[in-house]
């Protein structure tokens, strides 16, 4: 893994919590690399809005307010619904298969849950993101993909799936199935509407729980 990916993953998983100060020297020492890849990683993470400059020395992990979260999710809804509508028009049969397989893997992971650990929930989150990525890839629009990649990190940072009940996870499976069926039927408007609602439900879920200190799943 590159220095960029290691630092980004540390932010997403909470190892580097919001508000934490980071310096090139400390990061280089922790990752056993020179300061050059650290400097490059910091520039990229700044451009993605995950870290911000700290006075004249170092950076800090950005803290997201409720307003930030609402705005970012609203932007996600706009971008992801557009990409999903395009996927309904542009997709091919191989991409349909990939989406079906992705959602099958996601559903299997959820239905096999029994006394889930945080690792189990992280795995489910990754499978969910994999399904979404397959949908967006079918839109064949690298420009919108680049924008989406910058905004999907927020729900990962807040680890929204840790707060999902079993019922809510099952509902997300059904939402995926609705989205997938609309894409298979080439119903662009229906696909857009289904993804739009899916994202807004996720937004409301995060906003409801943002004040909670304990990140545990309720099964």
């Amino acid at each position: 893994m590159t220095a960029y990916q290691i630092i980004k993953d540390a932010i997403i998983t909470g190892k580097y919590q919001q508000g934490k100060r980071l310096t090139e020297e400390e990061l280089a020492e922790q990752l056993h690399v020179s300061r050059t890849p650290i400097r490059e990683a910091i520039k990229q993470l700044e451009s993605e809005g995950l870290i911000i400059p700290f006075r004249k020395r170092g950076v800090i992990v950005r803290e997201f307010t409720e307003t930030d979260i609402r705005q970012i999710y609203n932007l996600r809804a706009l971008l992801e619904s557009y990409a999903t509508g395009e996927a309904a028009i542009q997709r091919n049969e191989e991409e349909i298969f990939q989406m079906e397989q992705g959602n099958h893997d996601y559903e299997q992971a959820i239905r096999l849950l029994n006394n889930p650990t945080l690792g189990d929930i992280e795995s489910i989150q990754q499978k969910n993101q994999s399904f979404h990525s397959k949908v967006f890839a079918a839109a064949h629009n690298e420009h919108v993909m680049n924008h989406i990649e910058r905004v999907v990190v927020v729900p990962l940072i807040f680890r929204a799936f840790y707060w999902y009940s079993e019922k809510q996870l099952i509902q997300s499976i059904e939402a995926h199935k609705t989205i997938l069926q609309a894409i298979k039927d080439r119903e662009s408007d229906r696909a857009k509407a289904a993804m739009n609602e899916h994202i807004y439900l996720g937004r409301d879920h995060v906003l409801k729980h943002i004040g909670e200190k304990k990140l545990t799943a309720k099964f």
Side-chain angles (χ1 to χ4, degrees):
M1 295 176 67
T2 63
Y4 158 76
Q5 192 61 58
I6 292 172
I7 298 169
K8 184 174 182 177
D9 286 351
I11 293 172
I12 290 173
T13 60
K15 179 180 179 181
Y16 296 155
Q17 296 185 351
Q18 295 179 58
K20 179 176 175 60
R21 180 169 169 265
L22 304 171
T23 66
E24 289 182 12
E25 297 92 336
E26 291 172 336
L27 291 170
E29 183 178 347
Q30 290 172 12
L31 303 185
H32 306 291
V33 297
S34 71
R35 291 173 61 177
T36 298
I38 297 297
R39 194 173 297 118
E40 293 172 352
I42 286 175
K43 286 181 180 179
Q44 188 166 352
L45 292 166
E46 277 191 86
S47 73
E48 294 176 1
L50 291 180
I51 57 177
I52 56 177
F54 180 73
R55 297 175 183 173
K56 294 183 179 180
R57 182 176 174 80
V59 294
I60 60 173
V61 179
R62 180 178 175 179
E63 297 183 78
F64 291 91
T65 66
E66 289 190 24
T67 298
D68 290 326
I69 294 166
R70 186 178 296 277
Q71 291 176 344
I72 290 170
Y73 265 91
N74 290 351
L75 181 57
R76 278 192 65 198
L78 183 67
L79 292 170
E80 296 192 28
S81 62
Y82 172 78
T84 305
E86 288 297 291
I89 298 170
Q90 304 293 341
R91 95 295 186 282
N92 57 46
E93 292 305 312
E94 174 59 25
E95 288 163 339
I96 289 291
F97 173 79
Q98 292 296 328
M99 284 182 266
E100 289 178 330
Q101 186 62 52
N103 200 43
H104 172 76
D105 293 344
Y106 176 59
E107 182 172 2
Q108 286 295 103
I110 289 173
R111 297 194 184 279
L112 290 174
L113 278 178
N114 184 23
N115 297 319
T117 65
L118 294 186
D120 293 329
I121 302 304
E122 288 176 354
S123 176
I124 287 173
Q125 182 170 261
Q126 291 167 0
K127 287 180 171 60
N128 172 71
Q129 192 57 46
S130 176
F131 169 78
H132 281 247
S133 296
K134 288 176 171 60
V135 171
F136 306 145
H140 298 276
N141 186 329
E142 65 179 87
H143 305 290
V144 74
M145 281 285 288
N146 290 337
H147 287 296
I148 289 173
E149 287 175 358
R150 292 189 60 178
V151 294
V152 296
V153 73
V154 171
L156 300 183
I157 291 173
F158 285 98
R159 291 169 283 180
F161 275 84
Y162 292 178
W163 294 309
Y164 271 57
S165 67
E166 183 176 14
K167 179 180 178 181
Q168 288 170 317
L169 288 171
I170 297 300
Q171 288 173 337
S172 72
I173 295 171
E174 296 307 314
H176 285 186
K177 289 180 178 178
T178 299
I179 291 165
L180 182 52
Q181 189 60 53
I183 292 173
K184 290 172 68 175
D185 293 341
R186 296 192 184 276
E187 295 186 48
S188 180
D189 288 343
R190 183 184 174 207
K192 289 168 64 175
M195 180 61 82
N196 207 48
E197 180 63 14
H198 186 43
I199 299 302
Y200 280 136
L201 286 174
R203 178 201 66 185
D204 294 345
H205 179 70
V206 170
L207 289 173
K208 178 181 177 182
H209 293 91
I210 195 63
E212 294 187 5
K213 299 295 184 181
K214 191 175 183 180
L215 298 179
T216 55
K218 301 175 182 177
F219 294 95

